Amino acid sequence: MYQKNLYDYLSDAVRTAPDKLAFADERTGYTYAQLYDRAEAIGSYLFERFGALNRPIAVAVERSADTLAAFFGVLASGNYYLPIDPHMPVRRMEHILAQVRPLCLITPDGTDLPDTTALCPTVLFSQAVEHTTDSAALCAQRAQVLDIDPAYIIFTSGSTGVPKGIVVCHRSVIDFTEWMSETFGFGGDDIFGNQAPFYFDLSVKDIYQTVKHAATCHIFPHRFFLFPKLLLEFAEKEGITAFIWATSAFHLVANSGALERVAPASLGKVILGGEALQAKQLNRWRRALPQVEYVNLYGPTEVTVDCTYYKIEREFADCESIPIGKVCENKQVLLLNEDLQSVPQGSIGEICVRGIGLALGYFGDREKTDAAFVQNPANTAYRDLIYRTGDLGKINERGEICFCARKDNQVKHMGYRIELAEIETVLSAVPGVDQIACIFDREKDRIIACYSGQAEESALSRAAAELLPKYMNPNVRCHMEQLPRTSNGKLDRNALWKISEHGTDC
Amino acid sequence: MEELIALLSEICPSIDFENETDLVDRERIDSFELVAIVSTLMDHYEIELDVEDLLPENFNSAEAIYRLIESRRG
């Protein structure tokens, strides 16, 4: 039977492999039967308390199997989940909750979360998971959910200083999951090693590949990525077969030197995404683990995880850039100029994407949705949307799509997508800051905040820590008498670079 | 020790290195900060740190980091 709701994957898995380990973290491991029972209990609690359909429910995420039980519980109840990083600054969390107004926030027991009860009620995981199950009521609820209804909302950085909530429907995720399974040949014997936090859409690949195949996924603890040797030893011990990771984590492990000490022989596939893959780091992995199939994926959250892929089959010199390859099944990539006309073969154009994977839009923001999701200019006959990624790409002589640059000031840092303008907006509000501009040093992977005015550097650090997620905090703050301007008065980012690198003020 | 705390505070301004412990176990340090800490220690104290030194117990507090430096200097 074809899938209509992401929850169907779990219902199928529990029938075929009830006693198989589904997800395990450091403390707990759930078989499919245990995961299903918990999801049904949580779903029943949500249904009885709210009786709602197609409404958002926030989940404070941890690196735990309980978080996944909560996600599936939300889906079981016919609603959609909004993952919340409990470590994000309080004001950002409040902003997101105020914008979405979820029915409730499911929180793990013992988490030290800020009090957000003024925005939505809090439900303890332990409270929901002990509820009596009413599977018939849940089935009736889900029967009313269409595959074009939302499955989750994931928030990313927004250029105006306000994070954007990207709403993705069941059909988009199912379509992507099926494509991924077929293209990379995953199966029930696979054992995944999860790196991506569950508030990051990269984790969608781990979650649904695992459940689709009734496979097993180990949720790696945070400290594994600080101490990669522990990670590789664990992967070897557990017979991990696939890593689906953020590229930055892959680079980090390559840099650590741990691969030269431990190379897990069970590993068969390493699938990367989130930012540009560096050939130098890839080559380190290939030297240590030549048997592994490496794949570079590309795509913003708005197109449901990814839209292009590149299986690495040839050699790359350390300084070469790795293509993002070819388009995923049931998606189309168009390279368009500013007037939304196709660029000539080999020329650079904005990467625009068509297909069922397109998100439903930005939650509660019609204006931003309409600016990013626009009518396909090649079709005037009926509604046919494309998503403008803001990324510039071209087709190389081998016919592979290559990422070139961003059109704007969005950067990828630590695997996260960041609008530098959002950091600028927050820091410009610090008393004593006259002018502010952020630049990104790709080589050293750091954000540099250049500012003028009387503000103390510590005031900028404090504001960043209070208002922005940790990965958006500038790594370097650079005071200048004046920010450089071009002759027509625009901020001169090239000059900013030179001053921030060599200026005595910094 | 004071000098070390100043260096660490520059990398992780939100951590109170004088008083906080269990920095790894409580997820107070992220992987990028750890990389920055390791490279700063190597540069500043002119020591070599091997992948075998990269263990949670060596980075859980400023004191543990201090002990690590001392052991590599000695």
Side-chain angles (χ1 to χ4, degrees), chain A residues 301-318:
Chain A
T301 306
E302 285 88 340
V303 304
T304 308
V305 194
D306 293 301
C307 58
T308 74
Y309 71 107
Y310 182 71
K311 288 186 180 179
I312 291 146
E313 284 164 351
R314 61 182 161 98
E315 297 299 315
F316 284 89
D318 279 358

Side-chain angles (χ1 to χ4, degrees), chain A residues 4 10 19 36 44 129 132 152 159 166 178 209 215 224 255 258 278 337-338 341 347 356 377 399 442-444 481 496:
Chain A
K4 194 184 118 198
L10 181 58
D19 299 324
Y36 180 78
S44 301
V129 86
T132 311
Y152 59 74
S159 57
I166 301 161
E178 295 296 319
Q209 283 305 317
F224 276 16
N255 266 329
Q278 294 170 10
N337 65 17
E338 278 302 317
Q341 300 301 310
S347 302
I356 191 68
R442 272 188 185 78
E443 209 167 293
K444 293 183 180 157
E481 282 307 312
L496 207 56

Side-chain angles (χ1 to χ4, degrees), chain A residues 324-360:
Chain A
I324 54 173
K326 55 185 177 181
V327 75
C328 304
E329 179 82 14
N330 216 11
K331 282 174 183 164
Q332 185 186 8
V333 163
L334 309 166
L335 295 179
L336 305 180
N337 65 17
E338 278 302 317
D339 300 322
L340 296 181
Q341 300 301 310
S342 292
V343 297
Q345 182 74 26
S347 302
I348 293 174
E350 181 178 359
I351 299 175
C352 298
V353 186
R354 286 180 72 223
I356 191 68
L358 259 54
L360 300 176

Side-chain angles (χ1 to χ4, degrees), chain B residues 37-73:
Chain B
I37 290 172
V38 170
S39 68
T40 303
L41 297 181
M42 287 166 65
D43 290 349
H44 191 87
Y45 295 101
E46 295 179 341
I47 53 171
E48 281 301 315
L49 290 177
D50 185 76
V51 66
E52 305 292 340
D53 296 315
L54 300 185
L55 294 168
E57 53 267 34
N58 287 339
F59 293 87
N60 257 332
S61 64
E63 209 181 314
I65 299 172
Y66 187 75
R67 279 199 302 271
L68 174 68
I69 299 166
E70 290 296 298
S71 72
R72 286 295 159 272
R73 275 171 152 182

Side-chain angles (χ1 to χ4, degrees), chain A residues 282-297:
Chain A
L282 170 70
N283 289 339
R284 284 182 169 168
W285 275 82
R286 289 177 98 182
R287 278 195 293 275
L289 288 161
Q291 84 282 5
V292 168
E293 179 182 3
Y294 297 90
V295 184
N296 187 28
L297 291 174

Side-chain angles (χ1 to χ4, degrees), chain A residues 63 87 222-223 225-230 248 252 256-258 261 413-415 445 461 465 470 475 477, chain B residues 10 13-15 24-35 50-57 59:
Chain A
R63 301 192 62 77
H87 302 296
H222 168 80
R223 67 168 193 286
F225 291 89
L226 275 74
F227 306 103
K229 190 164 164 268
L230 301 182
S248 53
L252 191 99
S256 72
R261 310 289 172 97
H413 174 48
M414 295 167 66
D445 195 20
S461 304
K470 210 169 168 183
N475 308 90
R477 289 151 299 276
Chain B
E10 211 165 288
S14 65
I15 297 178
V24 174
D25 300 332
R26 290 190 300 116
E27 302 187 11
R28 294 283 287 138
I29 301 179
D30 67 35
S31 50
F32 288 83
E33 288 166 338
L34 185 77
V35 170
D50 185 76
V51 66
E52 305 292 340
D53 296 315
L54 300 185
L55 294 168
E57 53 267 34
F59 293 87

Side-chain angles (χ1 to χ4, degrees), chain A residues 1 3-12 14-15 36 38-44 46-47 51-54 71-80 133-151 170 174:
Chain A
M1 203 186 95
Q3 315 289 333
K4 194 184 118 198
N5 188 304
L6 283 172
Y7 195 72
D8 296 342
Y9 283 134
L10 181 58
S11 308
D12 291 347
V14 78
R15 271 194 296 273
Y36 180 78
R38 280 161 179 76
E40 289 279 299
I42 295 167
S44 301
L46 295 171
F47 173 64
L53 193 70
N54 277 329
F71 282 3
F72 281 107
V74 172
L75 296 176
S77 72
N79 293 293
Y80 54 100
T133 296
D134 184 352
S135 294
L138 295 181
C139 269
Q141 277 288 95
R142 285 197 305 281
Q144 299 175 71
V145 177
L146 305 185
D147 65 353
I148 52 165
D149 285 328
H170 289 269
I174 292 167

Side-chain angles (χ1 to χ4, degrees), chain A residues 95 250 336 400:
Chain A
H95 186 93
F250 178 81
L336 305 180
E400 301 154 345

